């Protein structure tokens, strides 16, 4: 469940996060099926609004990659937290294991806003006992901004196919850990 980063915005079919994750899992011995519940432009409020019909009875686990559009719009971190909290509470009620994938907040909204936003993911993961990947983009290698830019589409927001490949390689082990939590 996510936004354009999950949906594969700007990429050809098969190059986005979900199909590349599906391929990575198969190559690493998993027969899990990954369903793309990403909607470009979605906020945490949008994800919450569609959660009930997105979680079919066949759903065994949930990956949540929401919050990027909240941060791009500078939404109140308390609203983002509340929406993510509600999503995790609904997953808890269904006894679904969850991998919560965050993004670091930008500094341009001020240090207080950033501190509040950055606290959301680790605090909610701890409260709900979910797995946590603090930064969806970590696989791009934040130590070298020039190298990371080469892994992005022209908009500077969405990864290109090679960027997605690196993100999947970084997040794949966490997804395997999530799958290990699925109850038979």
């Amino acid at each position: 469940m996510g936004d354009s980063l999950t949906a594969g915005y700007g990429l050809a079919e098969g190059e986005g996060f979900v199909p590349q994750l599906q391929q990575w899992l198969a190559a690493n011995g998993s027969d899990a099926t990954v369903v793309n519940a990403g909607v470009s432009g979605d906020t945490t409020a949008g994800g919450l609004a569609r959660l009930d019909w997105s979680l079919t009875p066949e759903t065994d686990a949930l990956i949540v990659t929401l919050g990027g559009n909240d941060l791009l719009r500078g939404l109140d971190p308390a609203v983002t937290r509340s929406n993510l909290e509600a999503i995790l509470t609904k997953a808890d009620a269904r006894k679904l294991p969850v991998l919560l994938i965050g993004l670091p907040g930008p500094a341009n909204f001020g240090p207080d806003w950033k501190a509040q936003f950055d606290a959301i993911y680790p605090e909610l993961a701890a409260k709900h006992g979910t797995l946590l990947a603090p930064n969806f983009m970590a696989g791009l290698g934040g130590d070298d901004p020039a190298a990371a830019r080469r892994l992005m589409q022209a908009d500077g927001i969405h990864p290109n196919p090679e960027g997605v490949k690196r993100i999947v390689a970084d997040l794949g082990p966490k997804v395997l850990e999530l799958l290990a939590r699925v109850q038979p």
Side-chain angles (χ1 to χ4, degrees), residues 19 38 46 48 76 78 83 103 106 128 130 135 138 141 159 173 176 182:
L48 175 59
D76 181 349
N83 292 330
L103 283 169
H128 289 270
T130 71
N135 184 355
L176 288 175
V182 172

Side-chain angles (χ1 to χ4, degrees), residues 47-95:
L48 175 59
R50 64 187 171 84
L51 183 68
D52 289 334
W53 58 264
S54 293
L55 292 179
T56 65
E58 297 81 23
T59 303
D60 294 320
L62 179 63
I63 300 170
V64 179
T65 61
L66 288 164
N69 289 307
D70 294 42
L71 73 82
L72 287 173
R73 297 173 188 178
L75 299 181
D76 181 349
V79 172
T80 301
R81 177 186 292 273
S82 176
N83 292 330
L84 288 171
E85 174 89 38
I87 289 168
L88 295 176
T89 298
K90 287 179 180 242
D92 290 346
R94 292 242 342 238
K95 298 186 180 1

Side-chain angles (χ1 to χ4, degrees), residues 116-140:
Q116 289 174 36
F117 191 90
D118 288 350
I120 294 170
Y121 296 93
E123 289 175 1
L124 288 179
K127 179 177 180 181
H128 289 270
T130 71
L131 293 169
L132 173 67
N135 184 355
F136 183 89
M137 301 290 205
L140 299 180

Side-chain angles (χ1 to χ4, degrees), residues 27-47:
N28 285 275
S30 174
D31 64 353
T33 299
V34 185
V35 176
N36 192 342
V39 174
S40 291
D42 219 355
T43 60
T44 55

